[in-house]
Amino acid sequence: MYPNANKENISASDVQANFVRLTRSRAKTALGGGVSIPPTKPSFKQQKKRTVLKDVSNNTSADNIYSELLKGGNIKANRKCLKESKKAANEDPSIAMEILVYMHTEKSKLAEDLSKIRMAEAQVAPVSNSKDEEITDQQDEDGSGVMDFLQVEDIDFNNNDPQCCSLYAADIYDNIHVAELQQRPLANYMELVQRDIDPDMRKILIDWLVEVSEDYKLVPDTLYLTVNLIDRFLSNSYIERQRLQLLGVTCMLISSKYEELCAPRLEEFCFITANTYTRAEVLSMEIQVLNFVHFKLSVPTTKTFLRRFVKAAQASYEVPLMELEFLANYLAELTLVEYTFLRFLPSLVAASAVFLARWTLNQTDHPWNPTLQHYTRYGVAELKSTVLALEDLQLNTSSCTLIATREKYNQAKFNSVAKLISPKRVTSLFSR
């Protein structure tokens, strides 16, 4: 659906004129109508006012397993042998069990071999035979010699925390990198689909949701998933500005149910809108959103990648640097309110946040190294445009007055990383 030529445009200056200090006690009107500011839940913290945006299968058969193993050269058998094996398995169940065990063992070996090959191919440019021999000489039984040669730290080695899933981490992130290419919101849905809202209204809504997530102490994943659901829904469904806030609180309700151990009740989300929307309206919108996304809520966000990339960045320090983690998270959250960042993959945004965070904290060394390049799968040149755009957000070159994220990371519990700015522009790294 293409926008009408007479589409009403509301500029940033018009919006800001109505919001003297957005999402704070002096907000007056929100995208077309004046609304009083509802208090947040008094039980969490002292009562304060906020803006109300009124207008605003892995089911693999035996045939498939055998085919994969035959292609990998791990089973030296032809089709005739395969048929005979199946026939014998039908006659004797014990033979079937032996075949399954053998297939599992061979497939595990194949997976290990492929993992080592991917690791080498990701880092080694075309090298001479002498280099290949050098790698082979250094390689031991578990293949760690390749990583030593490439100066890549193994961040999954000997990790005793079962929640890190060290044994499967590489395969998990292989799948996540593929999944981020699917179910992405359109980078230009405001121009193609929406006629009654614009990027500034989206920015105001998400800035307000940042405050809501802070007041209710929601985990960061809830906020990221909320924004993802909003953008996916708006990419295909037209919505009036009067229902934009309803969409926002509904997506946060869904995300809370998915990510939180104890999600706020539906009535809480009605309350934070000063009961502008009823329980029935929120439930109706919840049905629309869930049906639209086909209940596919397990999507990789910037936060998904950021955890692993920060871990890779910390490998170069003797002691983990908490400021690095806080600053990378701050920079990543700044991108949530910016509609223009939808054109970048979540993994690219996460890698750029780590790059800029390391540069902000230390300008004496280059922020990128073989370990980060290996785990993020991005070279310095690929990060350039995203890093430069992210630095503009950090420096607030557009003089944006929406400050919820900045105030959040100005708190002592985050070491006030929002105040950190590099004395040297990151542009110097890309001009060499």
Side-chain angles (χ1 to χ4, degrees):
M1 184 183 300
Y2 287 86
N4 193 316
N6 297 322
K7 173 182 175 180
E8 178 182 358
N9 293 317
I10 299 181
S11 65
S13 59
D14 295 334
V15 177
Q16 291 171 6
N18 291 331
F19 289 80
V20 178
R21 189 179 181 192
L22 296 168
T23 70
R24 290 293 181 266
S25 60
R26 299 180 60 192
K28 301 211 173 163
T29 59
L31 312 176
V35 183
S36 61
I37 308 166
T40 54
K41 187 177 179 181
S43 59
F44 279 98
K45 56 171 65 178
Q46 118 178 20
Q47 229 177 9
K48 71 175 186 178
K49 295 185 178 181
R50 67 169 69 259
T51 304
V52 177
L53 307 178
K54 170 81 174 185
D55 291 341
V56 214
S57 189
N58 289 331
N59 188 16
T60 307
S61 66
D63 286 337
N64 293 335
I65 294 176
Y66 266 103
S67 298
E68 291 178 19
L69 295 176
L70 285 167
K71 289 178 183 177
N74 284 25
I75 299 179
K76 297 179 180 179
N78 53 27
R79 295 287 180 181
K80 183 177 180 181
C81 294
L82 179 58
K83 291 179 180 179
E84 291 175 356
S85 299
K86 286 183 178 180
K87 183 178 179 181
N90 291 330
E91 296 174 355
D92 189 347
S94 63
I95 296 178
M97 182 59 67
E98 291 178 5
I99 292 174
L100 288 175
V101 172
Y102 183 67
M103 287 193 304
H104 177 75
T105 303
E106 292 300 321
K107 190 174 181 182
S108 298
K109 291 179 181 178
L110 177 61
E112 291 177 6
D113 293 339
L114 290 175
S115 178
K116 294 172 186 176
I117 292 171
R118 284 198 304 267
M119 183 183 300
E121 289 178 344
Q123 293 297 325
V124 180
V127 292
S128 63
N129 291 335
S130 61
K131 291 291 184 182
D132 291 335
E133 293 171 1
E134 190 175 343
I135 293 176
T136 304
D137 291 338
Q138 294 183 46
Q139 200 171 18
D140 53 24
E141 291 183 358
D142 63 358
S144 62
V146 175
M147 298 188 72
D148 292 339
F149 175 76
L150 299 171
Q151 297 179 328
V152 174
E153 298 283 346
D154 186 359
I155 64 175
D156 299 315
F157 175 70
N158 197 25
N159 195 314
N160 296 321
D161 186 355
Q163 292 186 352
C164 291
C165 302
S166 299
L167 184 61
Y168 310 105
D171 291 331
I172 290 172
Y173 275 89
D174 282 345
N175 292 328
I176 290 177
H177 274 281
V178 174
E180 74 168 333
L181 300 173
Q182 306 164 352
Q183 303 173 30
R184 291 189 63 200
L186 294 177
N188 57 347
Y189 66 76
M190 287 291 182
E191 296 78 16
L192 295 180
V193 180
Q194 302 304 324
R195 299 192 306 272
D196 200 35
I197 62 174
D198 61 22
D200 291 309
M201 298 179 191
R202 175 190 178 277
K203 183 182 295 186
I204 294 169
L205 171 68
I206 295 174
D207 184 79
W208 176 71
L209 290 174
V210 170
E211 283 198 350
V212 174
S213 67
E214 269 291 280
D215 288 344
Y216 285 93
K217 296 179 172 57
L218 305 180
V219 297
D221 301 80
T222 299
L223 178 62
Y224 280 91
L225 180 56
T226 298
V227 176
N228 177 273
L229 291 175
I230 291 172
D231 288 326
R232 285 163 63 190
F233 187 84
L234 293 178
S235 292
N236 290 273
S237 302
Y238 167 77
I239 196 169
E240 300 86 2
R241 67 180 65 178
Q242 291 81 6
R243 291 169 57 82
L244 183 58
Q245 188 188 19
L246 173 62
L247 173 64
V249 295
T250 302
C251 289
M252 183 159 277
L253 171 64
I254 295 170
S255 302
S256 299
K257 291 179 179 180
Y258 187 76
E259 297 287 358
E260 301 291 332
L261 292 177
C262 185
R265 295 179 299 116
L266 188 152
E267 288 76 15
E268 298 286 348
F269 289 100
C270 294
F271 171 77
I272 61 176
T273 66
N275 294 313
T276 303
Y277 307 104
T278 65
R279 174 188 175 92
E281 288 177 308
V282 175
L283 289 175
S284 176
M285 179 60 76
E286 182 181 24
I287 293 171
Q288 291 182 52
V289 173
L290 288 174
N291 284 334
F292 173 76
V293 299
H294 303 292
F295 288 81
K296 294 180 180 178
L297 304 179
S298 185
V299 293
T301 64
T302 299
K303 184 63 178 178
T304 308
F305 294 99
L306 197 58
R307 287 192 177 92
R308 186 156 179 83
F309 296 171
V310 167
K311 185 177 181 180
Q314 298 283 23
S316 61
Y317 302 104
E318 292 184 3
V319 178
L321 190 61
M322 294 306 299
E323 277 190 334
L324 172 64
E325 182 175 352
F326 293 148
L327 185 54
N329 278 281
Y330 164 61
L331 295 172
E333 283 193 29
L334 284 178
T335 67
L336 291 177
V337 301
E338 291 296 327
Y339 169 72
T340 56
F341 272 79
L342 288 178
R343 69 184 190 273
F344 300 122
L345 286 171
S347 60
L348 182 58
V349 174
S352 300
V354 172
F355 185 103
L356 186 56
R358 283 172 61 87
W359 173 252
T360 302
L361 296 174
N362 182 11
Q363 295 83 46
T364 59
D365 294 327
H366 197 284
W368 221 232
N369 57 43
T371 301
L372 280 165
Q373 182 163 333
H374 170 71
Y375 287 105
T376 64
R377 307 183 184 188
Y378 291 109
V380 175
E382 298 172 282
L383 299 175
K384 180 179 179 179
S385 59
T386 316
V387 170
L388 294 179
L390 190 54
E391 186 185 40
D392 287 339
L393 285 185
Q394 183 187 26
L395 300 176
N396 196 18
T397 56
S398 63
S399 300
C400 179
T401 57
L402 301 174
I403 56 175
T405 303
R406 299 181 190 278
E407 288 195 347
K408 172 182 175 180
Y409 282 92
N410 265 333
Q411 299 177 69
K413 67 179 181 179
F414 294 116
N415 290 359
S416 302
V417 293
K419 298 177 181 178
L420 297 178
I421 296 176
S422 169
K424 296 171 59 178
R425 292 295 298 264
V426 74
T427 314
S428 59
L429 293 175
F430 302 106
S431 59
R432 295 173 184 174

